[in-house]
Amino acid sequence: MPKGSMWVVEDKKQKHVFWPNAQMKKRAWANSEKIYAEAEKDRAAFWEKKAKEGLHWFKPWSKAYEENAPYFKWFVGGEINISYNCLDRHLPAKKDKVAILWEPEPTAEKGRAITYGQLHEEVNKLANALRSLGIKKGDRVSIYLPMVPEVMAAMLACSRIGAIHNVVFSAFSGEALKARVEDSEAKVIITCDGYWRRGKEINLKEQSDIAAAMPCVQKQIVVKRLGNKVNMQGGRDYWYHELLAKEKPNCEPERMESNETLFLLYTSGTTGKPKGIIHDTGGYLTQAYWTTLWDFDLHDGDIYWCTADIGWVTGHTYACYGPLAVGATQLIYEGSPDFPDWGRIWGIIEKYKVSVFYTAPTAIRMWKKMGDDWVKKHGLGTLRLLATVGEPIDEEAWMWYFNTIGGGRCPVIDTWWQTETGGTLINALPGIGPFIPTVAGRVFPGAKADIFDDRGKPVEAEDTGFLVFKPPFPPGLLRGIWNNDEKYVETYWSEYGKNIYFTSDGAKWFDKENIRVTGRVDDVMKVAGHRLSSAEVEDAITLHSDVVESAVVPMPDEIKGQVPVVFAVLKPHAKACPECEQSIIQHVGKQIGPTARPAKVYFVDALPKTRSGKIMRRFLRGMLANEKLGDATTLQNPEVVEHLKQIVGYKAPQ
Ligand code: ATP
Ligand code: MG
C-alpha cells in the first residue's frame, strides 16, 4: 500500500482489497448500493428506465424485452438513431466542446481538435456522400482506417443512414480485409492513402485494393492522410475530401428500429476462426452509454483516453460510441507506443492532461518491462482513474499500474467483457468498489451472471467453473453471427441449453459478489482431478523475479490427465538454465500448491500473440499435442511459431 494513501484497504486472502474514499464516492455518478438493489429487483425495468434516461428516441418502444431463446429483443418498436445520439442532441450545449483530440505519430506534426459541431458537419456530409453513391439502409460498408478522426466520422455516417459497418484493423493485411469484405458482402470500402507506424509510411491503399477487387465492392472512398502516391481507379475510387466538398451539411437521420443491425465486428480469433458478431442499435447504445458513464465516471472537464484500436470492440464502444454518446472529450493517437521512444504514451498523457486512461494488460506488462525511468520523465498528476481490458491482469502488473502510473491515487477498473457482449459486464464501479488485483469485480447492474460446473450446477465457493449469463440478457449482447446462425446457437447457446449464455470463459467467486475471470474454458485444465486455470499459474509465475511473462498450457499426461507446462520469457539479466527451471517450478508449488507444479518450463524469446495482444495458447497446446495448428491470420508475430516448434520438437500430424 502506498504511504499516506487515502484508500481504505483491507487484506483478504493475502490480496489487497481497495475501497473508494469519500471524495471519490462523492464525485461518482454511480456511488450507491441502491443501484444494484434496484436493478436486481426487475432487470428489464432497470434497462427500460436507463434507455429513456440516457438516450433520445424518435419513437418509444411498445415492449421493453422479448425473448424467444436463444433469440431476444430489446425496446421492440422503439426508433432511434445512433449518430443523432452521439452528435445532434449535444449541439445546443456542446457545439464548441472538443469531441476528438487527435495526436498524430510524427512528433513534428500538429494534432487536431475537432468539436462536436465540426464532427456533426463532417458526418452529415459523408452520410450524404454515401447516399449519393447509392448506399442504403442495411448495406454493408467496410471501414479500413487507422486511428484518425475520419474513422469515427465514417462509423457515425454509416449509422446515420442505417448502413451496417464492419471496421477492420488497419494493421491486418489486404487478404484479411478481403476475407471480411467477402463474408459481409461489403459494397463500399472506406480507407486512406497511408499512415505512420513506428516512423514508417504504411501504404494502406495498396492493401485495400486487394479487397476492392472483389466483385461485391462497387466503390472505394479514400481519406488523404499522408499524401503518398496511390493509384485511383476511375469510376470506383473517390477522394474523401472531394466527395465531402460537394455535399450539404445536413442529412436526415434514418429512424432505426431498435433491434436493427448497427455493425458487424469479427472477434480476435484467440480460440479459432474469427466470427462476424452482429450488434443491434438501441440495446447496444444503452449499454455503451451507461457503462461508459459509470465505469469511467466521465464528467465535463475530463480528458479520456482509451488506447484500443478502433478495429477491436473496445475501440467501437469505448473510443467511439460510448464517449460520444455521453458527450465527453476523448483523445486518439495514430501511432505506436514506442515511437520515438517508450516515453511517448506518458508524454501524451502529460501534454493533453489526460484524466481517465483505459488500456490492456499486455501493454501494461510491456511498459513495466521497459522500466520506470520512462514514466518518471513525465507528470501524470492529472490521472484520476485507470482501467484495463482484454485478458486477466496479473497481480504484479495491477500493482505497478496502480502505484507507478496512478501514483496510488487512481482506482484500477478491471473490465471483463467480449466482442459479443457489446459493453462491459463485470467490473468494479469507481464510486462503489472494491478494487482487487486479479479480480474483475461485480456484475454490472442489470445483468445476471453465474459460475457453473460441467453439469450446469452453480459451483461451490472455492471452485473454478464456467462463466454464464442468465435472462434477461444484457441489452448489448450479440444478436447473431453473420451468415452463420448455426454457429451462433452452437457457440453460445448449447453448452447449458438455449436459456443460458455461455461465455467460454472460466471463472471463480472471490467472495459472494466479486468474480475472478481466469481465462478461456480451453485454458482451464484438470490436473489429477483439480481444476486449475492458466491465469492462476501465470499470475504466480510473473511474481518470480526472473520472468517477464509466461503462458501456461495443459499437456496430456497418462496419470494425472493433464499437467501444466510453462512457456516463459525471461528478463534480460536472467539465464535460461535447469536451475532457473527448477526455481520456477518450486515457486509455483509454493504459491499455489503441489498440484499446480509445472511439469516443464520452456524458455522462449516471445509468445504467440494476436494483433490485439492476447496470448494464443491454442498454438502452444496444439504444439505440445502434435495437433494441426489452425488459423493464424490474426497472429501478430507469426515468425515466433517456427522458433517454438523447434523448441518443443513439434511434429505436424500426417
Ligand atoms: P475468439 O472468440 O475469436 O476466440 P477473442 O475471444 O479473443 O476471440 P474478444 O472478444 O476480443 O475475442 O475477447 C474477449 C475475451 O477476452 C473474453 O472472452 C476473455 O477471455 C478475455 N477478457 C477480456 N477482458 C478480460 C478481463 N478483464 N479479464 C479476463 N479476461 C478478459
Ligand atoms: Mg471469444
Side-chain angles (χ1 to χ4, degrees):
M1 186 187 32
K3 267 209 192 107
S5 161
M6 301 178 298
W7 295 80
V8 185
V9 182
E10 133 197 354
D11 213 85
K12 201 171 184 177
K13 299 179 194 164
Q14 290 147 3
K15 262 189 204 299
H16 289 306
V17 178
F18 298 86
W19 295 92
N21 58 38
Q23 187 195 343
M24 285 162 58
K25 272 192 185 154
K26 199 165 151 227
R27 77 165 289 161
W29 290 112
N31 57 8
S32 153
E33 271 302 317
K34 278 193 211 133
I35 291 173
Y36 288 100
E38 187 204 325
E40 181 88 25
K41 242 192 287 160
D42 185 341
R43 294 191 182 85
F46 168 81
W47 286 116
E48 189 166 22
K49 192 171 151 213
K50 288 295 155 199
K52 265 186 213 152
E53 207 180 310
L55 305 179
H56 176 272
W57 296 80
F58 297 128
K59 190 182 147 206
W61 49 88
S62 54
K63 202 170 172 193
Y65 182 70
E66 194 178 277
E67 195 184 301
N68 181 14
Y71 307 95
F72 59 94
K73 285 181 173 174
W74 277 98
F75 315 124
V76 183
E79 287 178 6
I80 187 168
N81 182 278
I82 297 275
S83 80
Y84 187 93
N85 273 279
C86 291
L87 301 168
D88 304 51
R89 67 170 174 147
H90 298 319
L91 294 186
K94 295 184 174 172
K95 191 164 166 283
D96 297 321
K97 177 172 175 169
V98 173
I100 301 172
L101 286 164
W102 179 61
E103 167 85 355
E105 187 183 83
T107 43
E109 189 178 339
K110 254 185 91 183
R112 286 162 67 188
I114 298 156
T115 64
Y116 275 93
Q118 290 165 334
L119 187 61
H120 177 264
E121 185 175 327
E122 182 154 341
V123 166
N124 276 262
K125 287 181 174 174
L126 181 58
N128 279 330
L130 286 167
R131 276 192 179 148
S132 312
L133 292 176
I135 297 304
K136 298 178 309 291
K137 178 173 163 179
D139 287 343
R140 272 81 61 206
V141 174
S142 276
I143 302 176
Y144 186 47
L145 281 168
M147 290 304 268
V148 289
E150 287 83 356
V151 75
M152 279 98 207
M155 293 161 76
L156 290 163
C158 287
S159 79
R160 193 153 193 99
I161 63 168
I164 300 171
H165 63 68
N166 170 223
V167 182
V168 178
F169 186 28
S170 57
F172 277 164
S173 65
E175 289 297 331
L177 172 68
K178 187 173 140 189
R180 289 159 179 77
V181 162
E182 219 180 344
D183 190 59
S184 61
E185 293 169 279
K187 280 193 182 166
V188 173
I189 300 175
I190 307 179
T191 186
C192 68
D193 51 358
Y195 65 100
W196 291 104
R197 188 73 189 176
R198 229 172 244 130
K200 275 215 303 264
E201 290 188 12
I202 307 288
N203 186 330
L204 197 66
K205 173 71 166 49
E206 230 167 45
Q207 294 299 315
S208 190
D209 282 344
I210 296 172
M214 298 302 297
C216 59
V217 179
Q218 297 167 4
K219 309 283 177 197
Q220 190 167 221
I221 302 176
V222 186
V223 174
K224 197 173 224 146
R225 156 69 188 111
L226 276 193
N228 52 316
K229 206 172 149 0
V230 296
N231 294 321
M232 298 291 277
Q233 185 176 309
R236 186 194 70 187
D237 297 350
Y238 300 83
W239 285 109
Y240 179 96
H241 61 277
E242 287 178 4
L243 283 180
L244 262 59
K246 288 191 280 196
E247 298 294 343
K248 293 206 177 67
N250 284 306
C251 172
E252 190 58 25
E254 192 76 42
R255 291 169 168 236
M256 302 292 285
E257 197 278 333
S258 180
N259 297 280
E260 290 179 315
T261 302
L262 171 64
F263 65 81
L264 307 180
L265 184 64
Y266 291 81
T267 55
S268 41
T270 316
T271 56
K273 201 167 168 281
K275 305 175 274 282
I277 303 301
I278 301 174
H279 278 292
D280 79 315
T281 301
Y284 169 79
L285 197 64
T286 302
Q287 203 176 321
Y289 180 95
W290 286 101
T291 51
T292 304
L293 197 69
W294 282 359
D295 296 354
F296 308 114
D297 196 36
L298 297 178
H299 297 259
D300 263 333
D302 269 320
I303 306 290
Y304 163 80
W305 184 15
C306 164
T307 65
D309 188 90
I310 199 76
W312 307 117
V313 75
T314 308
H316 280 58
T317 308
Y318 300 113
C320 184
Y321 290 124
L324 294 174
V326 304
T329 296
Q330 69 158 335
L331 178 98
I332 61 168
Y333 168 51
E334 175 187 38
S336 179
D338 60 349
F339 189 85
D341 57 47
W342 282 103
R344 185 65 187 270
I345 297 296
W346 320 124
I348 295 174
I349 292 179
E350 181 175 26
K351 176 173 164 190
Y352 292 97
K353 304 187 164 55
V354 171
S355 53
V356 176
F357 185 62
Y358 190 23
T359 194
T362 174
I364 296 168
R365 287 194 299 266
M366 188 54 69
W367 291 320
K368 180 169 164 283
K369 180 178 158 190
M370 293 308 149
D372 294 3
D373 287 349
W374 292 114
V375 184
K376 287 189 192 130
K377 286 194 183 119
H378 300 280
L380 304 183
T382 51
L383 286 174
R384 65 169 186 81
L385 193 151
L386 301 173
T388 93
V389 62
E391 344 158 50
I393 180 165
D394 57 275
E395 184 153 4
E396 256 211 22
W398 198 104
M399 291 307 292
W400 182 82
Y401 196 31
F402 178 73
N403 285 317
T404 308
I405 303 306
R409 284 184 321 275
C410 313
V412 173
I413 311 293
D414 177 1
T415 63
W416 176 90
W417 61 298
Q418 314 175 293
T419 310
E420 292 89 341
T421 68
T424 69
L425 278 182
I426 301 178
N427 55 270
L429 294 175
I432 298 177
F435 319 108
I436 313 165
T438 78
V439 175
R442 291 171 75 169
V443 182
F444 197 86
K448 174 82 181 153
D450 209 336
I451 303 174
F452 280 179
D453 68 13
D454 312 300
R455 288 164 305 153
K457 290 240 166 61
V459 293
E460 300 293 327
E462 292 286 313
D463 270 357
T464 299
F466 306 122
L467 181 65
V468 299
F469 284 85
K470 295 175 166 176
F473 300 107
L477 197 64
L478 83 162
R479 301 310 174 83
I481 295 181
W482 190 254
N483 274 341
N484 202 342
D485 193 52
E486 230 167 80
K487 183 125 196 151
Y488 169 73
V489 177
E490 173 202 312
T491 312
Y492 311 108
W493 310 98
S494 299
E495 193 72 22
Y496 299 114
K498 60 185 173 121
N499 268 310
I500 299 286
Y501 173 78
F502 179 57
T503 62
S504 295
D505 278 353
K508 69 200 279 186
W509 294 103
F510 174 76
D511 52 27
K512 282 204 178 95
E513 275 162 349
N514 290 281
I515 292 178
R516 170 166 190 188
V517 178
T518 56
R520 324 229 158 222
V521 167
D522 297 349
D523 298 329
V524 178
M525 53 201 116
K526 224 167 186 178
V527 185
H530 298 276
R531 263 206 215 95
L532 185 71
S533 70
S534 298
E536 274 173 292
V537 187
E538 287 162 14
D539 194 12
I541 293 173
T542 42
L543 294 173
H544 188 283
S545 58
D546 287 346
V547 180
V548 176
E549 67 176 347
S550 71
V552 174
V553 291
M555 187 171 72
D557 182 88
E558 266 180 31
I559 298 161
K560 295 180 178 168
Q562 289 182 316
V563 286
V565 165
V566 181
F567 291 81
V569 180
L570 292 178
K571 288 187 183 159
H573 66 82
K575 236 182 80 204
C577 58
E579 291 74 40
C580 184
E581 176 176 12
Q582 274 314 312
S583 123
I584 290 173
I585 294 172
Q586 302 296 342
H587 171 82
V588 173
K590 227 169 54 205
Q591 291 277 328
I592 308 179
T595 41
R597 283 165 57 105
K600 169 104 198 106
V601 181
Y602 290 109
F603 296 107
V604 298
D605 300 341
L607 299 168
K609 286 192 179 171
T610 63
R611 302 275 176 120
S612 54
K614 291 178 184 178
I615 299 171
M616 258 228 229
R617 293 187 191 77
R618 73 177 153 94
F619 267 85
L620 302 172
R621 256 194 325 268
M623 277 179 207
L624 291 178
N626 291 314
E627 285 166 0
K628 236 181 113 216
L629 296 183
D631 185 70
T633 51
T634 61
L635 218 54
Q636 178 191 89
N637 50 351
E639 70 285 353
V640 72
V641 173
E642 279 314 310
H643 159 71
L644 292 167
K645 278 182 185 169
Q646 274 176 16
I647 286 185
V648 304
Y650 169 74
K651 287 183 222 66
Q654 295 304 314

